[in-house]
Structures are given as structure tokens and as C-alpha cells.
């Protein structure tokens, strides 16, 4: 009975073990925690450690056989990440960087999405699959790139500002891209334009209600709780707001990430912004680690073994194409040649939100399993190349 009780916590203990033991080793080697959790997920999957456990039963104790056991934790990681991004997007910050964020960042997303969609469509994918792949593969890694630039104290450099502006717009663009996936996944026999219009109208009403409630209820709630001078109660209130907004968005037919993002935006202008960031950051880090570990579990290395040239070639072409677009756009916006090259190298690889978009599309059966498998491998390969590209 005792063994059965412990088995319910096996996945959680593995996540804590990865965060406390394995990830620090990667960080000392200069490798991002995102890539560390991805690596741990791949190693602990049934395809690798599971096969080894058949020969050495001792390893069975740390094999994650049922990824669904950590899927709820992984989803909360994405919720808290979007909540923190909403907190960061204050009006003043966007106003200061508006030219680079909405000009350079907006054009990068539009041009890259169109280019990737066009290429995948020409390769025989349907328009829905091509759009989803374009949306997923056009994004870059905020988590890895910002961490690298911060460690090098280069966020204030011209390359750092240009890269951060593009990443900031990409973070904003994640929300409409996730809505696009949800709209494409709706089953209907009517005209597509009508479905999109209805879905957007429903989303607008739901978002409007969340914004109204947030504007008139969140600040008084936080002020009331802060008046108790209890850090525990304030933490509980912040978690309630983040998860409650995500749940409300789900009830309205939207994604949990969108609800959390809107809640973050509502709190960005309050006097409690920094205190909220300090509370959410540890939860976000650990639960987002669970998300990337879950992604690693779902990566099928057999696809890379069976078709190494195809996967590696597609990853290389994608990075070159994205880097070229970013370089040309950065130069057009007055970024120096050296800074434009650096930003292109850093942002050419894919990012963590590709996993979110691909997972959402897979749950709605919008991508065939082979395409989803190959896309996950391409995203992972390009992300693992970021530290090496940064050294160039």
C-alpha cells in the first residue's frame, strides 16, 4: 500500500529532482534551464529510459510512463508565463519602444509567418496545417534569448534592444495565434469566414467581460488583502487571480493562457506589480519546467533516427530563412550591421511557444502525427543550437 501511495507522487518527485539536481548542472555549463528540462524529458521518456529499464529494472522507478499525470502542472506553467508577460507589458514600456516593437517586431512575425506558411503549403500541406506550422515556427525563444543576454549584461546593447523588441511583439502575438488555432479547430459545415466572425465576436464579448471585472474588482481585492499585512493571504489572492482568470477564459471557450495574459495586463498598472512578479516567478519557473519536461517526453527520436537528413536539413533551412528576414528588417529599421547579424542568429531558431501552439493543434487533430513529430524535432534542434549560435 505504501508503494502505491508513493507512485502517485512519482512524477512530481521527478520534476523536483530535475529542478534541484539536474538543471543546476546545465546552468553551470551555460545551458538554459528550458533546454535542461527538455533534455531531462527526452531521457526519461519510455523511448529511451523505458527501453533501458527493460534490461535494468532499477531504472523503472524514474521512467515517466504516463505523461498525462503532469499535464495539469504543465498547463499551469504556461498560464503563469503568460500572466507574467501581461504584467511586463505596461503601457509606458510599449510606448517607449513602440517603433521597434510594433514596427520591427510586427513585420518580423507577419513576414516570417507568411514565408513559412507559403513553403509548407507548397510542400503539400493543407492550408490549415501550413498556417499552424507557420504560426509555430515563426516565433523565437524569449526564455533562452533573454536569459543569455541578461547573463552577458547585453540587454541594453543595440542587438539586445532589437532582439527584446521582436520577442516582446512575439509574446503579444501568441494570443491571437492561439485563437487562430482554436478557430481552425472548430468543426462546422458553414462558411469559414462566418465561423471566424462568430468566434471573434464571442471572444471579444468574453474578453470585454474579463477586462471590466478585472478593472473594477482586482485592484480593490488586492488592496483589501494587502491591508491584512499577511504575505500568505496576498500570495493566495494573486494565485486566485491568475488561475481564476484562466479558468474564466476556458468557460468562455478561450484558452487558459489568454485569460491569464489579460489578468496580467490588468495588474500591470497597479502598485502591486513588483510584489506579484516576485510571488509568481518561482511557481512559473517550476511549473514551466514541468511543461518542457512534458514536451521532452513527447519528442519521438525515432523520427530523427529514421530521417536525420530531412529533419536536420529542414531545421537548417528554417533558421537561415528566419535569420535572413530578421537581418533585412533590422537593417531597414536602422539597426547596425553587427547588431542585426547578432539578433538574426539569436532569433533564427524557434521558441517555447511553438510547443504550446503545436500541442494545441495536436489536441484538435489539426496536424497529422508525422507532421507534429517532425515539427517538434525541428523546434527542439533549433532551440538547442541557440547557445552555440550566440557564441558566434
Amino acid at each position: 500500500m505504501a508503494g502505491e501511495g508513493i507512485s502517485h507522487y512519482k512524477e512530481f518527485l521527478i520534476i523536483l529532482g530535475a529542478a534541484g539536481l539536474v538543471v543546476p548542472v546545465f546552468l553551470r555549463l551555460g545551458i538554459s534551464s528550458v533546454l535542461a528540462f527538455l533534455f531531462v524529458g527526452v531521457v526519461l521518456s519510455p523511448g529511451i529510459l523505458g527501453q533501458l529499464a527493460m534490461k535494468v529494472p532499477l531504472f523503472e522507478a524514474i521512467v515517466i510512463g504516463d505523461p498525462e499525470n503532469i499535464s495539469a502542472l504543465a498547463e499551469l506553467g504556461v498560464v503563469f508565463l503568460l500572466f507574467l508577460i501581461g504584467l511586463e507589458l505596461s503601457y509606458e514600456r510599449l510606448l517607449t519602444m513602440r517603433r521597434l516593437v510594433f514596427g520591427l517586431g510586427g513585420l518580423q512575425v507577419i513576414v516570417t509567418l507568411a514565408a513559412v506558411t507559403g513553403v509548407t503549403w507548397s510542400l503539400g500541406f493543407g492550408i490549415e496545417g501550413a498556417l499552424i506550422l507557420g504560426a509555430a515556427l515563426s516565433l523565437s525563444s524569449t526564455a533562452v534569448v533573454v536569459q543569455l543576454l541578461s547573463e552577458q549584461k547585453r540587454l541594453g546593447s543595440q542587438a539586445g534592444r532589437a532582439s527584446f523588441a521582436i520577442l516582446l511583439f512575439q509574446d503579444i502575438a501568441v494570443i491571437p495565434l492561439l485563437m487562430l488555432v482554436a478557430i481552425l479547430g472548430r468543426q462546422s459545415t458553414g462558411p469559414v469566414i462566418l465561423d471566424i466572425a462568430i468566434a471573434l465576436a464571442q471572444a471579444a464579448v468574453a474578453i470585454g467581460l474579463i477586462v471590466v471585472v478585472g478593472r473594477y474588482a482586482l485592484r480593490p481585492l488586492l488592496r483589501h488583502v494587502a491591508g491584512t499585512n499577511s504575505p500568505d493571504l496576498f500570495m493566495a489572492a494573486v494565485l486566485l487571480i491568475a488561475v481564476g482568470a484562466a479558468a474564466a477564459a476556458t468557460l468562455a471557450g478561450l484558452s487558459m493562457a489568454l485569460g491569464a495574459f489579460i489578468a496580467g495586463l490588468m495588474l500591470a498598472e497597479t502598485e502591486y506589480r513588483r510584489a506579484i512578479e516576485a510571488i509568481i516567478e518561482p511557481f512559473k519557473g517550476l511549473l514551466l519546467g514541468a511543461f518542457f519536461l512534458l514536451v521532452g517526453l513527447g519528442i519521438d527520436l525515432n523520427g530523427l533516427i529514421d530521417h536525420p537528413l530531412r529533419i536536420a536539413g529542414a531545421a537548417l533551412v528554417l533558421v537561415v530563412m528566419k535569420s535572413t528576414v530578421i537581418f533585412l528588417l533590422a537593417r531597414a529599421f536602422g539597426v547596425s550591421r553587427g547588431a542585426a547579424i547578432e539578433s538574426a542568429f539569436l532569433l533564427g531558431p524557434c521558441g517555447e511557444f511553438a510547443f504550446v501552439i503545436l500541442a494545441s493543434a495536436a489536441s484538435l487533430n489539426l496536424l497529422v502525427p508525422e507532421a507534429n513529430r517532425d515539427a517538434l524535432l525541428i523546434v527542439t534542434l533549433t532551440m538547442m543550437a541557440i547557445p552555440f549560435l550566440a557564441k558566434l
Side-chain angles (χ1 to χ4, degrees):
M1 293 295 291
E4 292 180 5
I6 292 175
S7 67
H8 293 299
Y9 300 98
K10 185 177 83 168
E11 287 79 10
F12 188 58
L13 288 172
I14 289 173
I15 293 171
L16 293 177
L21 301 175
V22 181
V23 174
V25 175
F26 279 80
L27 292 177
R28 285 184 176 273
L29 296 174
I31 299 174
S32 165
S33 60
V34 170
L35 301 181
F37 275 111
L38 270 175
F39 176 79
V40 170
V42 172
V43 171
L44 297 183
S45 67
I48 294 184
L49 203 60
Q51 295 295 321
L52 187 59
M54 295 175 67
K55 301 177 181 179
V56 186
L58 182 64
F59 289 117
E60 182 64 35
I62 56 174
V63 174
I64 299 181
D66 187 8
E68 290 299 318
N69 289 340
I70 61 172
S71 60
L73 289 176
E75 191 167 15
L76 280 178
V78 177
V79 164
F80 287 144
L81 175 62
L82 267 296
F83 182 73
L84 282 176
I85 289 173
L87 278 175
E88 284 294 318
L89 295 179
S90 65
Y91 177 75
E92 289 82 4
R93 191 170 196 177
L94 288 177
L95 192 63
T96 303
M97 302 181 64
R98 61 186 181 278
R99 180 174 175 271
L100 285 178
V101 172
F102 296 103
L104 178 57
L107 281 174
Q108 184 275 325
V109 170
I110 293 170
V111 174
T112 309
L113 191 154
V116 177
T117 300
V119 170
T120 50
W121 183 64
S122 68
L123 293 175
F125 286 88
I127 188 61
E128 291 181 353
L131 274 172
I132 289 167
L133 290 174
L137 302 181
S138 64
L139 304 178
S140 308
S141 178
T142 301
V144 179
V145 172
V146 171
Q147 181 179 356
L148 281 172
L149 291 171
S150 297
E151 289 172 353
Q152 298 171 2
K153 295 180 172 54
R154 302 199 66 249
L155 270 174
S157 66
Q158 189 178 31
R161 290 196 303 273
S163 299
F164 184 76
I166 293 173
L167 291 169
L168 195 56
F169 188 87
Q170 288 183 2
D171 291 342
I172 298 172
V174 168
I175 298 305
L177 291 177
L178 285 173
M179 289 180 62
L180 172 66
V181 174
I183 290 170
L184 292 175
R186 296 192 177 190
Q187 300 296 324
S188 176
T189 56
V192 176
I193 297 298
L194 180 61
D195 292 341
I196 293 175
I198 293 174
L200 289 176
Q202 292 174 340
V205 171
I207 291 171
L209 288 174
I210 294 174
V211 169
V212 169
V213 172
R215 182 171 294 277
Y216 292 103
L218 292 188
R219 185 173 294 193
L221 171 63
L222 286 176
R223 188 178 294 116
H224 173 70
V225 176
T228 65
N229 294 319
S230 171
D232 296 341
L233 293 179
F234 189 79
M235 178 188 296
V238 170
L239 295 177
L240 171 64
I241 290 169
V243 180
T250 302
L251 292 174
L254 306 173
S255 69
M256 293 183 71
L258 176 58
F261 177 78
I262 295 171
L265 281 177
M266 293 296 98
L267 296 175
E269 305 298 332
T270 68
E271 62 271 29
Y272 305 107
R273 174 182 167 188
R274 294 304 175 192
I276 293 170
E277 287 179 344
I279 288 172
I280 292 293
E281 187 65 40
F283 290 96
K284 186 268 294 184
L286 186 59
L287 296 176
L288 199 59
F291 171 76
F292 288 115
L293 193 147
L294 182 67
V295 169
L297 290 172
I299 293 174
D300 183 4
L301 292 181
N302 290 326
L304 183 60
I305 295 170
D306 294 340
H307 309 285
L309 293 179
R310 186 179 75 186
I311 301 298
L316 178 61
V317 169
L318 177 66
V319 170
V320 170
M321 183 169 65
K322 287 179 65 179
S323 297
T324 302
V325 170
I326 292 167
F327 172 77
L328 294 175
L329 288 175
R331 292 292 288 150
F333 275 79
V335 178
S336 68
R337 184 171 180 273
I341 292 174
E342 185 176 355
S343 295
F345 272 122
L346 289 173
L347 304 181
C350 299
E352 55 276 0
F353 283 116
F355 297 124
V356 180
I357 292 172
L358 291 172
S360 179
S363 67
L364 296 171
N365 297 316
L366 292 173
L367 281 176
V368 296
E370 292 78 9
N372 188 64
R373 178 200 66 187
D374 290 352
L376 287 174
L377 286 170
I378 290 169
V379 172
T380 304
L381 282 179
T382 60
M383 285 185 68
M384 288 183 172
I386 295 175
F388 305 103
L389 291 172
K391 293 182 184 300
L392 296 178

